[in-house]
Amino acid sequence: MGRATEYVHNIAFRVAINYIVGMLSIVTLISGRGSNFEAIVKTAQNEQWPVKFAGVIANHSAAKGLEFARLQGIPAFAIEHREYPSRESFDTALIQKIDELGADLVVLAGFMRILTPGFIRHFEGRLINIHPALLPAFPGLHTHERALEAGVKEHGATVHFVNEGVDEGPIICQASVPVLEGDNVETLAARVLTAEHQIYPRAVKWFLDGRLRIEGNQVKLEPPESQFFKL
Ligand code: GRF
């Protein structure tokens, strides 16, 4: 059994125990408007998930998503990356805060910082991200521009576990949307964002329910159901 697989088994065990003794905690990292974070919180409220939103952390205080968190009574923090001399020292401060908040799951929702291998290893198996493209197509930035330039007819979003590669971790689920005649970056981004808001809450719920198992670079959902949505 690989280290990641073993870790997820432990996570599944913790998920089971936590469901019996109490709620799981989510900590979300954002850099901007936080609409994915908002979609997850609203879905959790509507569906009455037994979950605790233990905190939201942004890498600068101007991140708009912090306001929504505060309105919801979710502890909101800014850890200014500019105040740290190195990526490592910033990530060490982040790890400390996330651990203090007691995160069972760390949700990256538009967090625009490259994370160090040390950070990723610390949260391995309980660190997830959403990427605005159908990975492995278009990793990195400016995905909508690149999709339009490439002339693809289908684009979308991917929720994945984070590993040390750039946008390479095991895929939890994906949603595709059509690229339409006359699309520009804004219209395409808006269509993809609507899809993101549908799949990220789903993926988080699957994790909380202990339904995800990493096997190699694949994520199995138990019991199985489609991990691909054509929207
Ligand atoms: C989303 O498009 C997400 O896929 C990407 O960053 C954007 C964040 O948007 N990682 P928001 O802050 O959740 O509104």
Side-chain angles (χ1 to χ4, degrees):
M1 201 187 295
R3 206 157 62 90
T5 315
E6 197 178 318
Y7 195 84
V8 168
H9 279 281
N10 292 339
I11 283 284
F13 180 71
R14 283 177 57 195
V15 166
I17 294 294
N18 272 311
Y19 250 55
I20 296 163
V21 299
M23 283 189 252
L24 290 181
S25 290
I26 296 179
V27 171
T28 309
L29 305 189
I30 61 169
S31 293
R33 70 191 155 187
S35 71
N36 276 288
F37 163 61
E38 206 171 315
I40 294 166
V41 171
K42 286 185 175 158
T43 307
Q45 289 168 346
N46 291 339
E47 297 180 359
Q48 300 186 323
W49 300 354
V51 69
K52 179 177 169 192
F53 289 95
V56 179
I57 305 171
N59 59 309
H60 56 89
S61 56
K64 247 192 127 283
L66 292 174
E67 286 168 29
F68 169 78
R70 292 192 181 107
L71 286 172
Q72 297 292 319
I74 298 169
F77 309 91
I79 301 182
E80 302 280 347
H81 70 268
R82 284 197 186 83
E83 289 174 11
Y84 291 82
S86 63
R87 223 175 258 292
E88 284 71 22
S89 57
F90 172 67
D91 278 12
T92 302
L94 263 189
I95 291 175
Q96 201 178 337
K97 189 72 199 170
I98 297 168
D99 283 351
E100 209 177 281
L101 294 167
D104 296 293
L105 173 64
V106 180
V107 172
L108 303 178
F111 189 63
M112 302 302 287
R113 300 292 303 165
I114 293 171
L115 295 163
T116 54
F119 181 98
I120 292 167
R121 275 197 298 271
H122 187 85
F123 294 110
E124 192 177 358
R126 56 189 173 118
L127 177 62
I128 64 174
N129 180 45
I130 188 155
H131 181 74
L134 289 172
L135 291 172
F138 310 119
L141 296 174
H142 310 301
T143 56
H144 309 308
E145 286 93 324
R146 287 157 61 207
L148 287 171
E149 265 164 37
V152 294
K153 304 302 170 214
E154 203 166 45
H155 187 39
T158 303
V159 181
H160 63 95
F161 281 103
V162 177
N163 66 13
E164 290 179 35
V166 177
D167 301 320
E168 269 181 13
I171 292 173
I172 299 171
C173 60
Q174 295 185 302
S176 75
V177 297
V179 179
L180 301 176
E181 194 61 43
D183 261 341
N184 55 39
V185 171
E186 286 71 35
T187 56
L188 185 56
R191 195 173 307 118
V192 171
L193 193 63
T194 306
E196 294 183 34
H197 295 166
Q198 295 184 49
I199 61 169
Y200 214 0
R202 270 315 102 232
V204 169
K205 184 64 163 51
W206 289 341
F207 181 95
L208 296 175
D209 288 342
R211 293 182 58 189
L212 302 178
R213 191 174 296 282
I214 299 178
E215 284 178 19
N217 206 37
Q218 298 196 0
V219 179
K220 305 285 184 201
L221 177 62
E222 293 169 351
E225 74 182 72
S226 180
Q227 289 163 259
F228 179 76
F229 304 88
K230 206 173 168 68
L231 302 174

